[in-house]
Amino acid sequence: MSVSTSRPEPPVAVVTVDFPPVNALPVQGWYDLAAAVGAAGADPAVRCVVLEAAGRGFNAGVDLKEIRRSPGHEALIGANHGCAAAFSAVYDCPVPVIAAVHGFCLGGGVGLAGNADAVVASEDAVFGLPELDRGALGAATHLARLVPQHLMRTLYFTSRTVTAQELHRHGSVWRVVPRAGLRAAALELAREIAAKDGALLRLAKAALNGIDPVDVRRSYRYEQGFTFEAGLCGAGNRLREAFGRPEREQEEQQEKAPEREREAP
């Protein structure tokens, strides 16, 4: 499990997230991601950052198992702060950030992609916020940067997903490509961006952030207050405990099977 950075070309940094099996990040993983993006953007030789993921999908949000294992609200608060740090690192990166999305982009994945400057996606990519099914609230701020307002609300209330092709029609995904060509497509765009003057790119990024109609940091932190309130009133914990219960019960049965075999006459 790691967040790593590579430099396929001198002006382009690629930050790769790899947290099997589904890239649901623990608290420290979000902070590691924030640090990697921040360090890449701070390098004066870098003019563009590509954010990608290994494995089955781009990002499945926070590690709910970590939250369920932790007593009290420590892990929930940690996840709130870690996500906010990672999303802000993408948004505040001094150079443009391209999200290369494949497979599922859920919850925190939408936060990352929504705060990126450009999105390139594979044909199998889907985006959504299953927050209401997971006992949390948040990242509507970022989904609203990808789809129109009423579609955002419908997706949020239903926990449905939207495909990369649909987002391409809305103009929020730059290109949709076969999965095997995703990295090449992201690097092609990064190369085109990185060909610009480095100083002007950094000024342009600051200027575009400065004219954003919504303060994404404040807006997201406002949403997170309701996530914590959901936890305090019990709704959040109830839904988190219910999530994945059949799978957990199956795992428990499998663990007990050897014991039953030993006890059999």
Side-chain angles (χ1 to χ4, degrees), residues 184-199:
L187 288 176
E188 180 183 347
L189 178 58
R191 194 176 300 115
E192 183 177 351
I193 292 172
K196 306 299 182 184
D197 181 85

Side-chain angles (χ1 to χ4, degrees), residues 160-180:
R160 292 194 181 199
T161 58
V162 62
T163 67
Q165 289 85 349
E166 290 175 280
L167 291 188
H168 183 260
R169 289 196 292 271
H170 287 297
S172 49
V173 166
W174 176 251
R175 285 184 64 190
V176 179
V177 299
R179 184 158 174 173

Side-chain angles (χ1 to χ4, degrees), residues 127-217:
F127 301 72
L129 293 179
E131 313 306 275
L132 294 186
D133 293 337
R134 305 292 190 267
L137 297 168
T141 293
H142 312 93
L143 185 59
R145 296 167 67 84
L146 298 172
V147 300
Q149 180 69 208
H150 284 82
L151 179 55
M152 180 275 287
R153 287 172 177 257
T154 302
L155 292 172
Y156 198 88
F157 291 141
T158 62
S159 297
R160 292 194 181 199
T161 58
V162 62
T163 67
Q165 289 85 349
E166 290 175 280
L167 291 188
H168 183 260
R169 289 196 292 271
H170 287 297
S172 49
V173 166
W174 176 251
R175 285 184 64 190
V176 179
V177 299
R179 184 158 174 173
L182 178 61
R183 190 176 222 251
L187 288 176
E188 180 183 347
L189 178 58
R191 194 176 300 115
E192 183 177 351
I193 292 172
K196 306 299 182 184
D197 181 85
L200 281 179
L201 271 177
R202 291 169 183 267
L203 289 173
K205 177 68 182 276
L208 291 178
N209 282 4
I211 63 171
D212 256 340
V214 175
D215 182 337
V216 295
R217 295 173 295 268

Side-chain angles (χ1 to χ4, degrees), residues 51 153 179 226 239 257:
L51 176 59
R153 287 172 177 257
R179 184 158 174 173
F226 289 93
L239 288 165

